[in-house]
């Protein structure tokens, strides 16, 4: 279809929303992004940009702009939590030369995407709180919290876990509490920090950390518990609770946790991938379509993939309905596979007893005998390039 001057409204100025807005504006569309927050989020929380996500950013012409604000990753280290000893190492240097794996703060990536989008003519409207979305044969109607209503010809719901578009397409849903909670924190790093993801594994809990630009270090720590915690990233918690939950961890972890001054806690909930992704000129993208647990670091990368595939489908499809159907058909199977793999990692990180011992021995043996084998297990994920 012809995107020149096509009016498109995007809900949510997150990574997926800004990426798809930029991609569509480059193709000539007139794009508005409605963000409920008064300002774009500048959270310093870290993200892992794996090769499948980086391929999209390079295809959008943002590779050079991202280089100064990202850290090039060299490895993923799996460690025993109590001793700090290495269990296995995934050498990211074994990736193909055209594949890039980088660490970035979410705020820095959002700022770069917003700059690119606005430079392409996208209008980002903050403080736009949409209460609900109505769908009928005439398209999508946005109902604002203030009582105003607006009809839009094409609506992209990139509004995350608490999407207002998803229930309009799929009806009410009740997510499943995984009995896991996660703390997120950013601390000052050290000059000798290695550019690696370090995963410390223990029965019922694990901790992930890696460096960011600006001399910072990102920490995500997950604990199994039966006490419910609200789903979301903005719930402040006492750092003492984090230190107490991971007091038995060795290696550099005690030093890291001692430097935590501010932390946020959120409950981890399992959601099904949406059954219905589109209808009557409205379509889901990113977490609104396929929320995932954070155990494969693919939330942002899936959103970037979605953004590129949707923009291309709209540019090449004969009409909106056909383009949205093509996009959903391409993305649904892959996102289901990634979400399932993240669920599986959640179990693997928290093994205890004999299962833990057997798994760690197996990882050590594979790491010594065939060091590239573990990384090749992720070829289906990292080697998938939606831009080709």
């Amino acid at each position: 279809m012809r995107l020149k001057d096509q009016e498109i409204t995007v809900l949510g100025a997150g990574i997926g929303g800004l990426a798809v807005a930029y991609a569509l504006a480059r193709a000539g569309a007139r794009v508005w992004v409605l963000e409920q927050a008064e300002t774009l989020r500048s959270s310093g929380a870290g993200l892992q940009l794996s090769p499948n996500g980086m391929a999209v950013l390079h295809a959008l012409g943002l590779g050079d702009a991202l280089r100064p604000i990202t850290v090039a990753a060299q490895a993923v280290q799996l460690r025993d939590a109590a001793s700090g000893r290495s269990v296995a190492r995934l050498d990211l240097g074994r990736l193909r030369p055209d594949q890039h794996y980088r660490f970035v703060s979410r705020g820095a990536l959002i700022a770069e995407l917003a700059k690119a989008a606005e430079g392409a003519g996208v209008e980002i409207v903050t403080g736009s709180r949409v209460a609900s979305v109505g769908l009928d044969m005439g398209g999508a109607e946005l109902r604002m919290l203030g009582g105003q209503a607006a009809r839009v010809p094409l609506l992209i719901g990139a509004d995350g876990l608490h999407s207002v578009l998803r229930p309009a397409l799929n009806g009410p849903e009740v997510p499943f509490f995984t009995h896991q909670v996660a703390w997120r924190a950013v601390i000052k790093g050290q000059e000798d920090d290695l550019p690696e993801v370090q995963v410390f594994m223990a029965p019922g809990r694990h901790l992930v950390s890696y460096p960011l630009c600006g001399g910072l270090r990102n920490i995500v720590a997950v604990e199994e518990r039966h006490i419910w915690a609200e789903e979301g990233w903005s719930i402040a918690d006492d750092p003492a609770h984090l230190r107490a939950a991971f007091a038995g961890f060795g290696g550099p972890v005690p030093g890291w946790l001692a430097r935590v001054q501010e932390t946020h806690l959120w409950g981890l909930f399992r959601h099904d991938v949406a059954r219905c992704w589109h209808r009557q000129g409205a379509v889901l993208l990113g977490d609104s379509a396929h929320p995932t647990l954070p155990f494969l670091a693919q939330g942002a990368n899936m959103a970037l993939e979605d953004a590129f595939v949707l923009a291309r489908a709209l540019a090449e499809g004969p009409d909106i309905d056909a383009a949205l159907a093509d996009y959903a058909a391409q993305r649904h199977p892959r996102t289901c596979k990634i979400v399932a793999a993240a669920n599986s990692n959640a179990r693997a990180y928290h093994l205890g007893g004999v299962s833990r011992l057997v798994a760690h021995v197996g990882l050590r043996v594979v790491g010594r005998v065939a060091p590239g084998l573990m990384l090749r297990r992720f070829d289906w994920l990292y080697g998938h390039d939606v831009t080709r």
Side-chain angles (χ1 to χ4, degrees):
M1 61 182 270
R2 184 172 175 271
L3 282 180
K4 179 66 174 175
D5 293 329
Q6 170 70 49
E7 294 185 6
I8 302 174
T9 302
V10 179
L11 299 183
I15 292 167
L18 291 172
V20 76
Y22 175 51
L24 290 166
R26 292 177 84 205
R30 298 170 59 197
V31 187
W32 288 264
V33 177
L34 306 184
E35 168 56 44
Q36 65 175 346
E38 295 299 328
T39 59
L40 295 189
R41 296 174 184 172
S42 57
S43 165
L47 296 171
Q48 298 176 49
L49 294 173
S50 53
N52 49 307
M54 284 299 301
V56 171
L57 293 168
H58 279 290
L60 293 177
L62 298 176
D64 290 341
L66 290 175
R67 195 169 291 115
I69 63 170
T70 59
V71 174
Q74 292 182 355
V76 177
Q77 283 272 12
L78 303 179
R79 297 186 180 276
D80 176 76
S83 67
R85 286 195 309 147
S86 178
V87 174
R89 184 177 189 271
L90 281 70
D91 181 4
L92 298 176
R94 294 175 178 270
L95 293 168
R96 295 196 312 265
D98 63 329
Q99 292 183 317
H100 306 272
Y101 199 121
R102 308 188 76 88
F103 309 138
V104 66
S105 78
R106 186 179 189 278
L109 180 57
I110 290 286
E112 201 59 50
L113 287 170
K115 177 182 174 182
E118 289 180 319
V122 174
E123 185 173 347
I124 301 173
V125 186
T126 57
S128 300
R129 299 182 64 84
V130 179
S132 64
V133 176
L135 299 176
D136 56 34
M137 295 304 294
E141 182 181 65
L142 305 182
R143 298 155 188 161
M144 313 303 289
L145 278 183
Q148 312 96 318
R151 188 168 289 278
V152 297
L154 177 53
L155 178 66
I156 300 173
D159 48 342
L161 283 171
H162 304 295
S163 171
V164 295
L165 177 57
R166 177 164 171 147
L169 290 168
N170 292 271
E173 299 172 325
V174 179
F176 168 73
F177 180 44
T178 64
H179 297 288
Q180 295 175 328
V181 297
W183 286 268
R184 184 185 295 272
V186 176
I187 62 172
K188 289 185 178 179
Q190 296 177 308
E191 289 185 6
D192 59 350
D193 282 344
L194 296 175
E196 299 179 345
V197 182
Q198 300 204 43
V199 183
F200 293 80
M201 304 175 293
R205 66 198 68 204
H206 77 279
L207 182 145
V208 179
S209 184
Y210 49 87
L212 301 170
C213 272
L216 301 175
R217 171 168 285 278
N218 190 66
I219 295 174
V220 177
V222 178
E223 177 193 35
E224 292 182 4
R225 62 157 70 162
H226 291 288
I227 302 172
W228 178 84
E230 186 178 346
E231 186 175 32
W233 289 8
S234 57
I235 306 157
D237 193 41
D238 188 336
H241 297 158
L242 168 61
R243 286 190 276 270
F246 292 84
F249 279 42
V253 174
W256 293 342
L257 298 185
R259 300 203 297 274
V260 174
Q261 297 181 349
E262 179 181 332
T263 186
H264 291 80
L265 176 71
W266 81 101
L268 300 182
F269 287 73
R270 190 177 298 158
H271 302 251
D272 292 330
V273 174
R275 299 182 309 278
C276 177
W277 284 44
H278 67 95
R279 190 172 72 243
Q280 293 160 330
V283 63
L284 299 173
L285 182 148
D287 281 350
S288 64
H290 43 72
T292 183
L293 295 176
F295 304 133
L296 204 56
Q298 285 300 302
N301 295 291
M302 282 196 287
L304 289 168
E305 288 186 350
D306 286 355
F308 192 91
V309 173
L310 178 56
R312 181 174 57 198
L314 286 168
E316 297 178 355
D319 55 55
I320 289 178
D321 289 342
L324 299 187
D326 178 39
Y327 157 73
Q330 290 187 60
R331 298 302 298 153
H332 188 271
R334 177 162 168 82
T335 55
C336 284
K337 185 175 182 179
I338 293 174
V339 169
N343 294 342
S344 178
N345 261 13
R347 295 187 291 271
Y349 285 163
H350 293 181
L351 291 174
V354 175
S355 297
R356 171 183 170 81
L357 177 63
V358 171
H360 284 203
V361 168
L363 287 170
R364 287 192 176 98
V365 170
V366 171
R368 284 195 296 267
V369 175
L373 182 61
M374 288 184 62
L375 190 59
R376 288 198 295 274
R377 287 181 55 235
F378 293 98
D379 281 349
W380 66 272
L381 179 60
Y382 299 157
H384 187 82
D385 185 351
V386 298
T387 72
R388 292 182 177 176

